[in-house]
Amino acid sequence: MNPLSHEQPPLLEQLQEWMQAGGLRALDLALTHFIAQQVSQPSDGLLLATALVSERNSHGHVCLDLQAALREPHKLLTAANRTSEADQVQQELTARLQSLDLSTWVAQLQASEAVNREGSPLVLAGSDQQPLLYLRRYWQYEQQIQTGIQQRLAQVKTLPLQAQSLIKELFQPSPGQAAPRPDWQKIASVLAARRGFAIITGGPGTGKTTTVVRLLALLQGMQLNQNLPLLQIRLAAPTGKAAARLNESLGNNIQQLSLPGNQSQIWRDSLPREVTTLHRLLGSQPGTRHFRHHSANPLPADLVVVDEASMVDVEMMAKLLEALRPDARLILLGDKDQLASVEAGSILGDLCRDAERGNYHPATHQIIKELTGEEARDPKSGRLLVDEQGSELSQATAMLRHSFRFHRYPGIGQLAEIVNQGQANLEKLERVFNEDKQRDNASLTHLKITSQEDSAFIHLVTQGYLPYLQLIEKLRPEATASQSELNAWAEAVFAQHRRFQLLTALRQGDWGIEGLNQRIFQALKATSAGRQLLPSGEPLWYSGRPVLMTRNDYSLQLMNGDIGICLQLPRKKADDPALLRVAFPDAQKGIRWVLPSRLQEVETVFAMTVHKSQGSEFQHTALILPPHFSPVLTKELLYTGITRSSQTFTLVSSSDRVLEQLLLQQVDRASGLKVAVN
């Protein structure tokens, strides 16, 4: 690379060097070259902004915040941090940006035919104080989302008087369990029932699924009482795994409902029991970005509920809103504090920016009191969450605040809360771990290691994964086993496999899934049990190999994020060749058996990224942090990892400095949605 000097090399030449250092992708450079060729006299400000907006998009940002780029250049070109040339790349970028001021940069962009012209590839939007540069496609997605939400927020529904008695019937507390006060599940149902668009957010175990089932029962009950047609309701989630989890909990919640009256069976039958992925709901067209359902062919649905909405990216949300009829309602469920989608956008986080404050109009609060008998108060401070200046979105947003999940394992809940607050440090963190050790039902461990060869780490993963490998052999059916017996065997293996999962922040390197999966395989083989259960050498397919789908495969009805386990079927005769099949649980609680040769987009999943774990829950989750800092290490990542655990959480770290940096780093993706809809 060129040494830093007062005389800067031509920008395109420098961008090439930044790409070679890992700061830019070939795609970013190609787009910049394309625009340089298409416009007359392209300015350096235009070309630099083009490269940066494309690079930011690859890191989940919908747009480039020009002011933030000038103020914090160290947050750009972050992929270069993995190379030895990273410091020089950052110095050169800083020098480039220091030669610009905001008004000059904006003027250069506005003067170009590549910006804000009909069909131009770039759009400059935002405000004078915060100008935002978009790739046109992402600007259009954001406009579709804003328009779709605002149109539905304007659809205010008047709830009939009988809604009060319906709410009282539907929200009966479980026997022996007092409802928390205030009961935010009741409040959430009223807010969601009153609008064409609504959000119900809350942490793990706050009862989002329970709330939405009762909400749907309330809506259908009002339709029945008024002799109106029942609503056509569709339930969806971003991944097959998230859809399967919601599917599992739906049946129990629906059966537990207390439905009065002589139409109770019709009422119960009107509630949806099937959850699909968003791709399946919209009718994905393989090989294209298009879906079967769109504005000209809308979904036949009166109401769509999307679970795990934090995982929905800006493109998918735009496509969903486009596919809904103008009068169709949309409800988003999810944890606003979880990691945002892998692709561009942090929609739920942007929309829920004021969720904790409530900001309900006095008129909204009066309706809440009349229909539920509850007051919208913060249960910790007791503060009434009323504000005359609250946005229309706030009137349709509810945050569930009482967690039912961690009462038996309070350490996990306390750790998640302190991390989520964004004010944790090493001392506070260690205090939570140490206090938990004093409990009879201790659930937290902080494992400090020096390397992956550390015996404590090897013991953790071998004790975590050997039980399901041993169960494969212990429960192996006879050669004459029926299909139902084979399915029962696979289900038992899956149940054991879900007891432990190692999570990592990274994909690549020794501390990413690539290196960890290989290391864990070798550690398992080094045990006496592993030598009997696992094959010699390193074959691609073997009995016990856990795999994760990395791309949707519609021909096999398998979705990105689905987990399967390779199993050797019982031999009919002793000298028969081994028959390997990969078992996947399906949404109908059955098992799908697939030939390994048909699975082209899978990876071993002894270790899984935190992103891929969203929508899952494991009895014991262990999160391993790398010894070096990475931009992906944020408090949201740690919070998401912690809350995948139902009973036990182990944090594995080798650097206090990295952990301390992680606690202070949070996801902050640039978008125009934060201001436009709130």
Side-chain angles (χ1 to χ4, degrees):
M1 296 181 67
N2 294 324
L4 193 65
S5 66
H6 296 296
E7 181 108 12
Q8 293 181 330
L11 179 60
L12 288 174
E13 179 183 317
Q14 199 165 51
L15 294 177
Q16 176 75 33
E17 293 172 351
W18 293 353
M19 186 195 76
Q20 291 169 347
L24 292 172
R25 300 170 298 165
L27 177 64
D28 308 329
L29 189 62
L31 176 63
T32 310
H33 274 288
F34 171 76
I35 288 182
Q37 293 164 2
Q38 296 297 312
V39 305
S40 57
Q41 298 181 326
S43 65
D44 279 2
L46 170 68
L47 299 182
L48 181 60
T50 300
L52 292 178
V53 70
S54 181
E55 182 265 347
R56 288 291 82 193
N57 183 247
S58 71
H59 290 279
H61 298 262
V62 178
C63 55
L64 174 68
D65 184 328
L66 300 181
Q67 187 181 59
L70 293 171
R71 187 176 62 246
E72 300 173 315
H74 61 280
K75 292 187 176 181
L76 306 170
L77 308 186
T78 50
N81 293 343
R82 293 192 286 267
T83 68
S84 57
E85 299 102 326
D87 288 344
Q88 188 169 345
V89 168
Q90 289 296 333
Q91 289 176 44
E92 291 177 356
L93 173 62
T94 301
R96 284 282 179 186
L97 291 171
Q98 284 175 345
S99 68
L100 293 166
D101 59 56
L102 187 61
S103 59
T104 301
W105 203 2
V106 168
Q108 289 185 10
L109 292 170
Q110 289 174 332
S112 172
E113 59 264 46
V115 181
N116 287 10
R117 307 297 194 269
E118 186 176 352
S120 62
L122 301 173
V123 175
L124 184 63
S127 63
D128 291 342
Q129 294 74 33
Q130 190 181 28
L132 305 173
L133 184 68
Y134 292 81
L135 297 174
R136 176 167 290 277
R137 180 159 62 92
Y138 287 93
W139 177 78
Q140 290 172 331
Y141 291 150
E142 210 171 74
Q143 295 303 301
Q144 285 179 288
I145 293 169
Q146 290 175 19
T147 301
I149 290 176
Q150 286 166 341
Q151 286 177 347
R152 286 169 174 79
L153 286 174
Q155 299 170 15
V156 181
K157 319 287 183 180
T158 301
L159 303 189
L161 288 175
Q162 62 262 41
Q164 186 179 40
S165 59
L166 284 175
I167 291 167
K168 186 176 181 180
E169 290 285 352
L170 290 169
F171 284 85
Q172 296 283 349
S174 301
Q177 184 183 64
R181 298 301 303 268
D183 189 338
W184 275 94
Q185 293 188 8
K186 280 186 185 178
I187 296 170
S189 291
V190 168
L191 293 173
R194 293 186 66 243
R195 298 274 175 157
F197 174 81
I199 299 172
I200 300 174
T201 186
T206 50
K208 294 185 289 294
T209 304
T210 301
T211 303
V212 82
V213 167
R214 292 174 176 179
L215 165 62
L216 298 181
L218 170 64
L219 293 173
Q220 295 290 47
M222 289 191 296
Q223 296 293 110
L224 284 168
N225 286 348
Q226 298 174 84
N227 294 315
L228 295 173
L230 290 167
L231 300 174
Q232 297 297 311
I233 302 172
R234 301 296 301 275
L235 306 181
T239 67
K241 186 167 46 180
R245 273 202 67 203
L246 179 58
N247 223 44
E248 286 174 14
S249 61
L250 273 178
N252 290 336
N253 273 287
I254 291 173
Q255 285 307 119
Q256 290 169 10
L257 279 175
S258 172
L259 301 178
N262 55 11
Q263 297 190 85
S264 61
Q265 194 56 49
I266 296 173
W267 193 358
R268 199 180 303 276
D269 291 344
S270 74
L271 301 177
R273 287 170 169 77
E274 183 179 344
V275 188
T276 185
T277 65
L278 282 169
H279 280 85
R280 285 177 180 156
L281 178 72
L282 298 184
S284 180
Q285 304 291 315
T288 76
R289 306 183 86 98
H290 303 299
F291 292 92
R292 189 170 69 253
H293 291 292
H294 44 74
S295 57
N297 180 32
L299 271 167
D302 301 309
L303 167 62
V304 172
V305 179
V306 179
D307 193 22
E308 296 290 352
S310 64
M311 300 166 66
V312 182
D313 62 80
V314 68
E315 179 177 2
M316 179 56 78
M317 186 62 73
K319 299 288 188 183
L320 172 62
L321 282 160
E322 182 193 2
L324 296 180
R325 296 196 318 258
D327 63 332
R329 303 164 77 152
L330 176 63
I331 297 172
L332 303 182
L333 299 181
D335 185 345
K336 67 181 179 63
D337 298 314
Q338 274 191 194
L339 278 172
S341 61
V342 176
E343 304 299 330
S346 53
I347 294 169
L348 192 68
D350 289 346
L351 296 177
C352 291
R353 190 180 56 168
D354 293 331
E356 197 157 357
R357 291 191 288 272
N359 294 343
Y360 301 118
H361 296 161
T364 302
H365 192 251
Q366 184 60 32
I367 291 169
I368 290 171
K369 287 180 67 175
E370 287 175 359
L371 293 177
T372 69
E374 304 286 341
E375 288 194 322
R377 293 185 181 276
D378 182 330
K380 291 183 179 177
S381 67
R383 184 173 66 88
L384 197 62
L385 304 179
V386 174
D387 183 353
E388 289 185 6
Q389 305 303 314
S391 68
E392 287 302 303
L393 179 61
S394 291
Q395 313 316 302
T397 302
M399 177 177 163
L400 305 181
R401 297 157 193 260
H402 179 81
S403 179
F404 300 88
R405 180 186 295 181
F406 299 128
H407 63 280
R408 288 184 59 197
Y409 304 96
I412 297 175
Q414 288 177 10
L415 185 64
E417 183 177 5
I418 193 173
V419 169
N420 196 31
Q421 287 171 349
Q423 299 172 340
N425 55 33
L426 288 180
E427 183 181 347
K428 291 179 181 178
L429 210 65
E430 286 305 316
R431 190 181 307 141
V432 173
F433 278 100
N434 290 331
E435 287 175 358
D436 188 67
K437 287 179 184 176
Q438 311 308 315
R439 296 189 176 100
D440 293 335
N441 56 341
S443 57
L444 300 176
T445 303
H446 187 183
L447 189 61
K448 297 185 179 183
I449 62 174
T450 55
S451 75
Q452 293 176 17
E453 307 305 315
D454 192 302
S455 60
F457 175 67
I458 298 298
H459 182 266
L460 172 73
V461 294
T462 54
Q463 294 306 301
Y465 287 126
L466 277 175
Y468 94 86
L469 292 172
Q470 292 170 321
L471 196 69
I472 291 173
E473 293 306 316
K474 181 180 178 181
L475 299 183
R476 180 179 297 283
E478 299 293 328
T480 56
S482 65
Q483 190 60 55
S484 62
E485 290 173 318
L486 292 174
N487 289 350
W489 172 46
E491 286 166 3
V493 172
F494 276 115
Q496 181 64 51
H497 181 263
R498 283 191 290 268
R499 288 177 174 267
F500 177 81
Q501 182 63 55
L502 180 72
L503 304 180
T504 178
L506 307 175
R507 285 196 58 80
Q508 297 163 336
D510 291 344
W511 297 82
I513 56 171
E514 295 174 353
L516 286 167
N517 276 315
Q518 187 173 20
R519 182 69 196 90
I520 293 167
F521 180 73
Q522 295 299 336
L524 290 167
K525 281 179 62 174
T527 65
S528 57
R531 282 192 290 272
Q532 300 174 28
L533 298 169
L534 295 171
S536 57
E538 295 188 19
L540 177 61
W541 290 104
Y542 53 87
S543 181
R545 181 192 177 195
V547 294
L548 178 85
M549 293 292 297
T550 58
R551 189 173 296 178
N552 297 336
D553 189 324
Y554 297 97
S555 65
L556 296 175
Q557 296 185 315
L558 295 173
M559 296 291 112
N560 186 356
D562 287 351
I563 292 178
I565 297 177
C566 185
L567 298 172
Q568 182 179 315
L569 299 182
R571 299 176 193 261
K572 301 292 185 184
K573 299 177 183 176
D575 56 351
D576 280 352
L579 285 178
L580 294 177
R581 295 292 184 271
V582 185
F584 288 89
D586 65 26
Q588 283 68 47
K589 299 185 179 180
I591 297 292
R592 183 175 290 111
W593 298 84
V594 182
L595 276 166
S597 59
R598 297 193 65 190
L599 296 171
Q600 303 302 312
E601 304 290 346
V602 293
E603 61 191 16
T604 302
V605 71
F606 288 120
M608 177 194 297
T609 62
V610 177
H611 263 111
K612 290 289 188 184
S613 74
Q614 287 181 264
S616 298
E617 181 181 301
F618 306 98
Q619 186 173 306
H620 179 184
T621 304
L623 172 61
I624 185 168
L625 301 179
H628 52 272
F629 189 70
S630 164
V632 303
L633 298 177
T634 62
K635 74 176 184 68
E636 289 86 356
L637 179 132
L638 179 54
Y639 169 81
T640 304
I642 294 166
T643 54
R644 298 312 90 207
S645 309
S646 63
Q647 295 184 19
T648 308
F649 175 73
T650 300
L651 178 63
V652 185
S653 68
S654 57
S655 168
D656 283 351
R657 185 168 178 272
V658 167
L659 182 54
E660 197 160 33
Q661 284 179 288
L662 177 152
L663 293 170
L664 298 173
Q665 178 99 346
Q666 65 183 67
V667 173
D668 185 19
R669 292 183 170 181
S671 89
L673 204 58
K674 295 178 183 178
V675 176
V677 178
N678 281 282

